[in-house]
Amino acid sequence: MLCTRLTNARFVTMDPNHPVAHELGIWRGRIVGLDEAVASLPAREVIDLQGATVLPGFVDAHVHLAWTGFKETTVTVAGRTRIDDVLAVVEEAATRTGEPGAWVSIVGYDQRALGRHLTAAELDRVSHGRKVYILHESGHGCLVNSAVLALLPAGIPHDNGFLVEGAMGAARALRLPYSQQELATAIGRAARTCLAEGITACAEAGIGGTLFGHSPVELGAYQLAYEQDLLPLRVQLMVSADRLRPVAAHDADGIPRALDLGLRTGFGDDRLSVGALKIYTDGGMMARTAALRDPYEGLGHAGQLQDDPDVLTDTIVDGHRAGWQLAVHAIGDRAADLALDALERAQRDWPRPGARHRIEHAGLIRPDQLPRFARLGVSAVVQPHFLRSFGDDYAAIMGEGRAPWLYRGRAFLAHGIPLVGSSDRPVADGSPLRAVQFMVERASDSGQVIGPDEGITVDEALRAYTVTGAWACHRENTLGSLTPGKRADLAVLGDDPRRVDPSRIGDIEVVATYVDGSEVGPRAL
């Protein structure tokens, strides 16, 4: 007997052997058959989906759940376009926050909307003795007041209170870590937001590290969330590379650096597991710290690498040797050069053809870099919403010659490079359907078409958020398509993205989300 039979729907399976079905049977959380294979079988529950379209649950291969959860409940200055308005928010938050000397946390800062950066001196006038820490929208910088600057180690660089990359990490280190319970609650909050958009699996893009970590015991917070039933979707955890330490392993193992006990990619189960090793090579375009070969348009610099190139290369090679899948953050083309050089060296000296290494973001990729991606078997994990939300700005700072290379689609596929969809939530909108619409249209919110030749088909875009997303996370045997034997993770939609005008894809309603054959959102939330 089936546990559940779903009927009266259009199941877009993403499986070429059975592309479309109308009935789907579930037993103990797995798909056991389609159409005639299950139509006559008894079931404990038969659910009429009333003509809905059903896709495999979306896989978001690059998110920040804890950050998302905290951001949802933190004071924000997002949307403010006047400096006085931002300072008013800071002053109100400071007067409502504890005693003098307490920390004031604010998010949503973006100098582009203001025309310039605020300064520590301006914050001092409204902070009332509190320590003010305002996180940049990109996550690659922060603005602090003089009370925080006074606590930083000597020599930490900043621009009138604005710190980027490693310098930002020094400011973060001054603060006490979040408790595991605080983290678990924030993780659960973000997970529910994902479910409401049809996402059933994701990869958390870097825990425990200096830049984006929240605690040195952050993995334990995800375990706690799991134990407390706060984790209703599948999560794979990327570990920040700065958590590795030298180990005295056996010479035959060839492991120079590792997590304690040699923990690496693949440990865990189908609900919570350890994924890739996250390695940062540069910053972000929003903060103007992505490392480019040529300077930003109209600016006198070309961004920056996170560390000395040799140090970054050694980290990538050591992670590969230790058996990790690598997720190398590289937004600018100079950072991508470094990542590709290091991955090529690692595979040449210690071949692991099945590693499925990934370059996260791949924001600006030159034509000459595409064959190298393909030759190395490296996936491009892109964030379509970056161009949808920030495309006008990104195109301007890249200039006419480079703008068509931003967050490519067609060029990756044409070279046989796995194209993986993701959001980088909360930096940008997390909706997979709105991302699919951009991947087809390549239009920013203002209507500017950026790199029109990089547009792909709806089927190709859906594949990036299902089949290829699962493959990039080593989960193709259980997720990514509605195939018998795989997990019954489903996104029930109010219309078929392949049948509506592309301009309407982002507005399609997510009617229900199923994980392991049970409805978990949005109606169940």
Side-chain angles (χ1 to χ4, degrees):
M1 175 179 285
L2 299 173
C3 296
T4 307
R5 186 170 74 247
L6 302 178
T7 187
N8 188 19
R10 181 178 178 81
F11 294 93
V12 180
T13 69
M14 307 305 294
D15 182 349
N17 295 319
H18 197 144
V20 177
H22 299 283
E23 299 215 24
L24 182 145
I26 300 170
W27 186 70
R28 293 189 177 181
R30 290 187 182 269
I31 300 167
V32 294
L34 303 167
D35 290 338
E36 64 275 2
V38 297
S40 61
L41 296 179
R44 294 172 189 162
E45 182 180 30
V46 177
I47 299 176
D48 184 341
L49 292 178
Q50 301 179 348
T53 294
V54 183
L55 281 158
F58 296 120
V59 179
D60 189 332
H62 185 119
V63 302
H64 299 277
L65 289 180
W67 179 10
T68 297
F70 284 127
K71 186 175 181 179
E72 290 179 7
T73 58
T74 302
V75 175
T76 182
V77 293
R80 268 66 172 191
T81 58
R82 297 177 62 249
I83 287 173
D84 287 346
D85 291 342
V86 172
L87 293 175
V89 172
V90 175
E91 184 163 29
E92 182 181 0
T95 57
R96 290 189 289 105
T97 304
E99 299 295 325
W103 284 92
V104 177
S105 294
I106 296 174
V107 297
Y109 176 66
D110 188 347
Q111 83 286 354
R112 299 172 304 169
L114 303 172
R116 67 169 176 86
H117 279 297
L118 276 72
T119 67
E122 288 172 319
L123 294 182
D124 292 343
R125 294 199 296 268
V126 296
S127 56
H128 298 280
R130 275 67 171 180
K131 303 182 187 75
V132 178
Y133 180 97
I134 309 179
L135 184 63
H136 194 268
E137 275 285 74
S138 67
H140 286 271
C142 66
L143 181 70
V144 300
N145 64 351
S146 297
V148 177
L149 292 177
L151 300 175
L152 291 172
I156 296 294
H158 67 91
D159 182 9
N160 291 319
F162 186 65
L163 302 96
V164 298
E165 309 305 341
M168 180 194 73
R172 285 174 63 95
L174 295 172
R175 310 174 67 188
L176 291 174
Y178 289 99
S179 72
Q180 287 193 342
Q181 187 60 65
E182 288 175 307
L183 280 163
T185 301
I187 290 161
R189 186 182 302 118
R192 293 191 295 274
T193 300
C194 291
L195 288 173
E197 295 173 342
I199 298 164
T200 58
C202 66
E204 163 65 58
I207 63 169
T210 301
L211 280 180
F212 291 100
H214 297 87
S215 166
V217 291
E218 195 165 357
L219 191 151
Y222 282 85
Q223 289 182 282
L224 182 62
Y226 189 10
E227 293 163 358
Q228 295 180 343
D229 292 326
L230 297 174
L231 203 62
L233 77 169
R234 307 183 195 282
V235 179
Q236 196 175 71
L237 303 172
M238 299 185 204
V239 177
S240 291
D242 54 6
R243 302 302 302 175
L244 300 184
R245 63 181 183 83
V247 292
H250 193 284
D251 288 345
D253 293 332
I255 300 176
R257 283 186 279 175
L259 290 184
D260 287 343
L261 301 179
L263 192 72
R264 59 175 173 82
T265 302
F267 184 81
D269 60 24
D270 66 348
R271 293 300 289 262
L272 180 63
S273 62
V274 175
L277 184 71
K278 180 71 177 294
I279 302 171
Y280 296 92
T281 64
D282 69 345
M285 287 186 187
M286 200 185 307
R288 312 314 196 221
T289 53
L292 310 179
R293 184 181 64 176
D294 301 310
Y296 288 91
E297 192 77 10
L299 301 178
H301 68 87
Q304 65 188 71
L305 295 172
Q306 290 281 2
D307 208 330
D308 180 85
D310 290 339
V311 171
L312 294 171
T313 297
D314 287 346
T315 300
I316 290 170
V317 172
D318 286 353
H320 172 87
R321 291 180 64 189
W324 287 90
Q325 179 189 24
L326 303 181
V328 185
H329 169 115
I331 293 183
D333 57 339
R334 181 186 171 203
D337 279 335
L338 184 148
L340 293 168
D341 288 345
L343 291 171
E344 186 167 29
R345 172 181 149 191
Q347 290 284 21
R348 181 191 67 230
D349 294 343
W350 293 276
R352 281 178 55 218
R356 300 187 194 176
H357 296 321
R358 310 156 35 143
I359 289 187
E360 308 297 303
H361 307 296
L364 185 75
I365 300 300
R366 303 187 308 271
D368 64 286
Q369 293 174 314
L370 294 167
R372 299 193 68 198
F373 267 79
R375 187 169 65 252
L376 290 167
V378 175
S379 301
V381 184
V382 300
Q383 296 74 41
H385 281 300
F386 279 16
L387 286 193
R388 181 175 177 270
S389 299
F390 317 128
D392 295 348
D393 173 63
Y394 285 13
I397 60 174
M398 289 302 105
E400 184 177 351
R402 291 180 294 182
W405 305 341
L406 287 164
Y407 293 93
R408 291 175 177 272
R410 174 58 54 205
F412 286 131
L413 294 179
H415 283 79
I417 299 162
L419 177 65
V420 183
S422 69
S423 67
D424 203 16
R425 182 194 305 267
V427 179
D429 182 3
S431 163
L433 287 171
R434 287 192 286 273
V436 165
Q437 178 176 325
F438 174 83
M439 295 173 88
V440 175
E441 296 184 322
R442 299 287 298 185
S444 70
D445 282 339
S446 74
Q448 179 182 1
V449 178
I450 302 166
D453 291 343
E454 292 296 330
I456 61 177
T457 69
V458 175
D459 279 329
E460 289 167 335
L462 290 173
R463 188 175 181 84
Y465 274 92
T466 54
V467 176
T468 317
W471 182 88
C473 296
H474 288 270
R475 289 185 160 182
E476 73 276 12
N477 291 328
T478 57
L479 305 178
S481 66
L482 304 182
T483 302
K486 292 192 177 185
R487 291 292 179 182
D489 291 3
L490 318 169
V492 182
L493 308 180
D495 214 332
D496 187 340
R498 307 179 311 165
R499 292 186 164 190
V500 304
D501 187 274
S503 64
R504 293 182 49 214
I505 294 173
D507 295 325
I508 293 175
E509 179 187 6
V510 178
V511 177
T513 306
Y514 287 75
V515 173
D516 277 337
S518 297
E519 186 174 349
V520 290
R523 296 181 303 194
L525 296 176

